[in-house]
Amino acid sequence: MAVRKTKTPVIEVQARPGLPLGMPAATFLRDYWQKRPLLIRGAFPDFETPLQPEDLAGLACEETALARLISHDRATDGWTVRTGPFQEEDFPGMPDHDWTLLVQDVDKWDPDVRALLSHFSFLPRWRMDDVMISFAATGGSVGAHVDQYDVFLLQAHGHRRWQIDASESIKGKRPPLDFRPDVELKLLQRFKPTHDWVLEPGDMLYLPPNVPHNGVAEDPCLTFSFGMRAPASAELISDYLDTLIMDADEAIRYQDPDLKVPEDPNEIDAVAMNRVVQALNAIRMNDPDRLGDWFGRFITTYRAAGDVVASGQPLPRHDVEAALAEGIELGRHPWARLAWRRAKKGASLYCSGLEFALPVKDAQALAGAEQIGAPLYQKLSAKGRDALHELIAGGYYQLLDGDAFDDEDDFDDEDGDEGIAEYEIIDATDTVEVVEDEDVQANVHEVTVHEDGVEVIVDFDDSDDDAEGTDGHGGKA
């Protein structure tokens, strides 16, 4: 009997009305997500960029923006990297070729860019990290490299040539991933593309992790990069162990009340190791919900470049409710990250590391709402409203129409100060502890949830085989 051959999925498709991926989302996730790249022609038909190159340059001059400028000298094949913030006078003197400006987290600064995230609702929202935008002069590039996360590259303006090496997904052969030792960027020593395309506005290229790729501007162009959050196993283990240690009882120690005379007093025998395991098990989280709560707090703060704080005194609760009744809405701070999960009882809502126990409907509604008006507020339970007001006090939500309180009957606090909290972003890039791949790597062999705890089997390797990419979401360019 002849064996039926499995058809290899194509790597280039044309989007269709109602199918922006060129296929149902479930098919994309089954055949492409973290498996093989995909070029989608016309994914955003008639796309017009909501942001111009001069807007990006202006943002790169902001004190808290994460920006880099990468230049390539073709004569020497040399690369230089400058980090922002930049000055306005830096850009007029730039040549008309061979340089790229990259700015991360543009979705936190521009609401029109942020609105594009709704097109990726087929993915968990908490998996989306940021929208990085690059402007490239003709010939501009960041070199051939790989990324350690999934990324969607949307051509927003102009044309960019993308070359990729898809040999692993189409031939089963992993390409060499050695890096050049002579440049600051982590560029590949060898790059042999299997596919070569020129993308125009509205085209989008999806790349799973570790696919070598190189993009070069055919003319001055803008590319929007939608990157995923992909914490390394070492980061997960490190943060999780910190939580275990913080909750550990100092009274729980290694014990051996059944100790017998050893055959060799210098040997650490199997019985002793069993006692070590018991001591470690004693500090494990014995409630799987606590593991979920740790991850919810972790993932809503992971790779945060800034913290949200309230500026000034928040409005009293009755004033907020009066404002909502007048049709004013609450807007979520662009740096606030929300997610939720089901718990044994109800649900847990997470916002930038904070945690609230809520009914499922409240957690769903708050996590999914960028803006909150009176109708949604009225649907919240008492617990949901309490959580929302706590988030307002922390600066995570703010009334969108501040001019509504300029009349004589302003909602002022007792001291006469205006009560509307203003957003403030604190630069935290220097305080984020990063576990470098070249320093340590963790291989998690097994994670098992038992009735009495969570067992994590992990080993560490100090080799430097893997490295983060240079597109910017991993902060390694």
Side-chain angles (χ1 to χ4, degrees), residues 125-159:
R125 180 63 183 86
W126 55 266
R127 280 282 271 125
M128 182 68 72
D129 190 6
D130 77 325
V131 182
M132 185 191 73
I133 297 182
S134 66
F135 168 77
T138 302
S141 174
V142 297
H145 63 282
V146 296
D147 297 312
Q148 299 296 324
Y149 48 82
D150 302 87
V151 63
F152 293 85
L153 299 163
L154 170 64
Q155 194 60 29
H157 174 75
H159 302 79

Side-chain angles (χ1 to χ4, degrees), residues 182-203:
D182 59 327
V183 293
E184 184 178 349
L185 297 166
K186 290 188 175 178
L187 303 183
L188 295 171
Q189 287 186 10
R190 289 165 289 176
F191 175 63
K192 186 177 180 181
T194 59
H195 295 74
D196 188 319
W197 303 292
V198 173
L199 273 62
E200 60 185 39
D203 293 342

Side-chain angles (χ1 to χ4, degrees), residues 85-368:
F86 299 102
Q87 303 298 317
E88 291 184 5
E89 55 268 24
D90 290 338
F91 296 105
M94 293 295 295
D96 62 358
H97 58 88
D98 297 345
W99 62 272
T100 300
L101 173 67
L102 305 101
V103 183
Q104 291 181 227
D105 291 304
V106 181
D107 54 302
K108 316 302 191 302
W109 298 85
D110 190 298
D112 292 328
V113 174
R114 184 177 178 83
L116 295 174
L117 295 175
S118 63
H119 294 273
F120 297 88
S121 59
F122 58 91
L123 299 172
R125 180 63 183 86
W126 55 266
R127 280 282 271 125
M128 182 68 72
D129 190 6
D130 77 325
V131 182
M132 185 191 73
I133 297 182
S134 66
F135 168 77
T138 302
S141 174
V142 297
H145 63 282
V146 296
D147 297 312
Q148 299 296 324
Y149 48 82
D150 302 87
V151 63
F152 293 85
L153 299 163
L154 170 64
Q155 194 60 29
H157 174 75
H159 302 79
R160 185 185 290 267
R161 178 178 298 276
W162 282 104
Q163 297 176 316
I164 71 169
D165 183 352
S167 56
E168 184 170 14
S169 60
I170 63 176
K171 302 177 183 177
K173 297 175 60 178
R174 186 170 186 178
L177 301 180
D178 299 322
F179 298 105
R180 288 178 53 174
D182 59 327
V183 293
E184 184 178 349
L185 297 166
K186 290 188 175 178
L187 303 183
L188 295 171
Q189 287 186 10
R190 289 165 289 176
F191 175 63
K192 186 177 180 181
T194 59
H195 295 74
D196 188 319
W197 303 292
V198 173
L199 273 62
E200 60 185 39
D203 293 342
M204 185 168 68
L205 175 62
Y206 162 70
L207 296 174
N210 292 314
V211 173
H213 56 284
N214 184 35
V216 181
E218 294 282 292
D219 46 36
C221 71
L222 287 168
T223 302
F224 291 14
S225 174
F226 299 82
M228 302 295 116
R229 278 177 227 163
S233 56
E235 294 174 284
L236 292 171
I237 290 297
S238 175
D239 195 90
Y240 180 55
L241 290 180
D242 285 344
T243 303
L244 286 176
I245 293 169
M246 180 177 61
D247 294 341
D249 186 349
E250 280 290 316
I252 299 175
R253 295 177 177 272
Y254 177 93
Q255 299 179 15
D256 52 5
D258 57 345
L259 184 64
K260 293 181 174 55
V261 177
E263 294 182 7
D264 183 343
N266 299 308
E267 179 189 6
I268 302 174
D269 57 22
V271 176
M273 289 308 304
N274 287 335
R275 297 191 190 103
V276 171
V277 172
Q278 291 174 3
L280 292 174
N281 287 343
I283 66 169
R284 290 183 306 185
M285 293 183 178
N286 57 10
D287 184 350
D289 267 353
R290 296 183 69 185
L291 176 66
D293 287 337
W294 157 77
F295 185 73
R297 296 189 300 268
F298 170 84
I299 202 63
T300 55
T301 55
Y302 175 68
R303 214 197 64 78
D307 293 327
V308 179
V309 297
S311 176
Q313 295 294 320
L315 281 173
R317 180 167 181 156
H318 62 85
D319 289 345
V320 173
E321 293 177 341
L324 290 171
E326 291 294 323
I328 300 172
E329 292 188 328
L330 290 163
R332 184 191 297 180
H333 193 292
W335 290 87
R337 291 174 170 172
L338 275 77
W340 74 280
R341 59 175 291 273
R342 297 182 189 274
K344 288 182 178 178
K345 293 183 179 179
S348 293
L349 175 72
Y350 311 99
C351 176
S352 300
L354 300 176
E355 176 186 338
F356 302 89
L358 297 176
V360 170
K361 289 185 178 180
D362 287 354
Q364 283 180 307
L366 291 174

Side-chain angles (χ1 to χ4, degrees), residues 10 17 37 48 136 172 180 275 293 304 324 383 406 439 448 450:
V10 297
E48 294 185 8
R180 288 178 53 174
R275 297 191 190 103
D293 287 337
L324 290 171
K383 281 188 175 182
D406 289 339
D439 294 332
T448 307
H450 305 286

Side-chain angles (χ1 to χ4, degrees), residues 148 174 231-238 241 435-437 439-447 455-466:
Q148 299 296 324
R174 186 170 186 178
S233 56
E235 294 174 284
L236 292 171
I237 290 297
S238 175
L241 290 180
V435 179
E436 297 290 351
D437 284 351
D439 294 332
V440 62
Q441 289 187 0
N443 295 317
V444 179
H445 293 298
E446 184 176 351
V447 178
E455 180 181 8
V456 181
I457 302 175
V458 58
D459 63 21
F460 290 87
D461 181 4
D462 61 358
S463 65
D464 58 354
D465 292 339
D466 294 330

